[in-house]
Amino acid sequence: MGPTAQVELEVVDSLIVDELEPLVMDDHRGDLGYYLFRNTKSRQPLLVDEQGTVIQEFDILNEGPDGIGSFGSGYRLLNDTSWIAQNLMQGYYVFDYQGNRKQHLPAHWAGMFSISVYTNRTTFNPYIKEGKAYILGEEPNAFDHKAISAKELGSEFYDQAKTIFDYDIAAGDFELITTFPDAWKPKAESRYVGPSFPLVTINRKSLKMALLPTVGNQLFIYDYSGTAPVLEDTVLLTHRYRPDQAPEANLDAEKWLEDYPIFTDLRVCGDGFLVGFYTRVPAEVVKELRAKSEEYYKLPEAKEATEKYAKPYYILVQGGKQVGVIDKLPIHGVIDFANEDGFIYVNDNRDPEVERDYNVFYKLKVKQ
């Protein structure tokens, strides 16, 4: 046993949803008996019960009175009366379970500087604190990238750039909170290692918040049961495929971290958290591919290199420390969701081993 011991997972159940098009799981609440799925092609949200029966497909990707426009990018459950939809460009919308739009929470942008669309994760987390509803999330456009310029500020960029927000749903108050902790090593050492905008999540039961700068090897865990997050644990993350230190950024270089394994996933998992990253295609291999074509990513060799080198790996954190790693799943597919009950859901629908006309989600847990 130890921080880099292999965590053994076991399949305890599976959920079958009778839909032809591939789905991804955006949320699950056992106490509500609901799943929220997203159709990967139409991006429409589906409400599904514990048996996999589709209760309703919400027709919201339109400009009608109960629509959010065409840029639906993620959906989460709030409570027994409401759920949240995100429009990539316009913010958040509160719906009831009949599909009626109840409220619009506009996006707070200082300008449009970057847009990221994720297949298997959402960038916001609805939760309840002292009876009030909030959204905790990531917004890379929340500050003015021209006024707060990494090229001019260097490592001081981390003192000024804030991308983590907390949104009071009832009051409509939007607040930027802790983004780059002082204990994060690049900041403490006054080293600029790229934007490194953190991922964030929160345990809806304990109100423990996890903050993960995408560069480096530290996870920060806060108690967010009060008015402001209070740092409780700083977890040093380690994996054989992660360098001890991120290279300092060359601000004049176009691509300086092209083979650095940035963190790409952060999820609640039981009382702890699950941290994910992908290994990257080595820079020398990319250089060789670029020499063949400007659109090198379209080459068959590029696909072969991705399949060979780009692999997902996970780190499990419990009790404020790293307790193991997940290098291989016991079932075909990708991790699609994890929750406060300690279950990990694996999606085997986008590239299944066997073609089928329905969706399967495998339910896993850590083997005791």
Side-chain angles (χ1 to χ4, degrees), residues 4-60:
T4 57
Q6 290 294 323
V7 174
E8 193 172 353
L9 300 174
E10 59 180 342
V11 179
V12 295
D13 203 353
S14 63
L15 181 76
I16 295 175
V17 184
D18 191 14
E19 288 284 319
L20 179 60
E21 294 188 18
L23 304 174
V24 293
M25 185 185 295
D26 274 358
D27 210 348
H28 173 241
R29 288 273 297 269
D31 56 333
L32 300 179
Y34 290 149
Y35 291 90
L36 260 183
F37 289 98
R38 174 166 30 99
N39 191 308
T40 55
K41 293 183 179 179
S42 71
R43 305 191 70 82
Q44 295 279 16
L46 288 82
L47 186 68
V48 174
D49 68 16
E50 296 282 345
Q51 287 70 48
T53 302
V54 177
I55 301 171
Q56 189 168 354
E57 181 170 355
F58 297 108
D59 183 17
I60 64 169

Side-chain angles (χ1 to χ4, degrees), residues 189-236:
E189 297 167 356
S190 298
R191 300 173 61 243
Y192 180 72
V193 293
S196 311
F197 296 138
L199 311 180
V200 71
T201 192
I202 190 167
N203 185 306
R204 292 174 285 199
K205 294 180 179 179
S206 67
L207 298 183
K208 302 293 183 186
M209 179 184 96
L211 186 74
L212 179 70
T214 49
V215 174
N217 288 304
Q218 290 166 287
L219 176 71
F220 299 91
I221 301 174
Y222 296 80
D223 178 353
Y224 202 7
S225 59
T227 56
V230 177
L231 184 62
E232 284 194 335
D233 294 297
T234 300
V235 185
L236 181 62

Side-chain angles (χ1 to χ4, degrees), residues 173-305:
D173 294 334
F174 180 92
E175 178 188 7
L176 290 169
I177 60 172
T178 301
T179 296
F180 294 106
D182 291 339
W184 181 50
K185 287 184 179 179
K187 183 177 179 180
E189 297 167 356
S190 298
R191 300 173 61 243
Y192 180 72
V193 293
S196 311
F197 296 138
L199 311 180
V200 71
T201 192
I202 190 167
N203 185 306
R204 292 174 285 199
K205 294 180 179 179
S206 67
L207 298 183
K208 302 293 183 186
M209 179 184 96
L211 186 74
L212 179 70
T214 49
V215 174
N217 288 304
Q218 290 166 287
L219 176 71
F220 299 91
I221 301 174
Y222 296 80
D223 178 353
Y224 202 7
S225 59
T227 56
V230 177
L231 184 62
E232 284 194 335
D233 294 297
T234 300
V235 185
L236 181 62
L237 304 172
T238 181
H239 192 281
R240 70 184 188 278
Y241 292 137
R242 294 197 63 80
D244 293 333
Q245 181 169 277
E248 195 157 348
N250 178 355
L251 291 168
D252 295 319
E254 286 187 17
K255 294 183 180 295
W256 60 275
L257 275 183
E258 58 188 10
D259 59 359
Y260 179 83
I262 63 171
F263 288 116
T264 55
D265 208 355
L266 173 64
R267 302 177 188 270
V268 171
C269 188
D271 295 329
F273 298 94
L274 198 59
V275 173
F277 70 94
Y278 273 79
T279 47
R280 307 282 289 277
V281 178
E284 285 304 312
V285 175
V286 175
K287 187 177 179 181
E288 291 173 7
L289 292 170
R290 278 188 180 143
K292 295 181 179 180
S293 170
E294 289 185 5
E295 295 185 327
Y296 68 95
Y297 45 86
K298 294 182 178 179
L299 296 172
E301 298 97 310
K303 183 179 180 182
E304 292 170 6

Side-chain angles (χ1 to χ4, degrees), residues 22 303 307 332-334 347-356:
K303 183 179 180 182
E307 291 175 352
H332 186 262
V334 297
N347 184 330
D348 184 35
N349 303 307
R350 296 200 71 183
D351 184 27
E353 287 185 308
V354 178
E355 290 296 324
R356 50 179 177 257

Side-chain angles (χ1 to χ4, degrees), residues 141-162:
N141 298 303
F143 70 95
D144 188 336
H145 289 233
K146 295 177 182 176
I148 302 174
S149 166
K151 203 145 193 168
E152 295 177 9
L153 293 171
S155 64
E156 292 181 17
F157 173 83
Y158 304 126
D159 292 319
Q160 300 184 39
K162 289 189 175 182

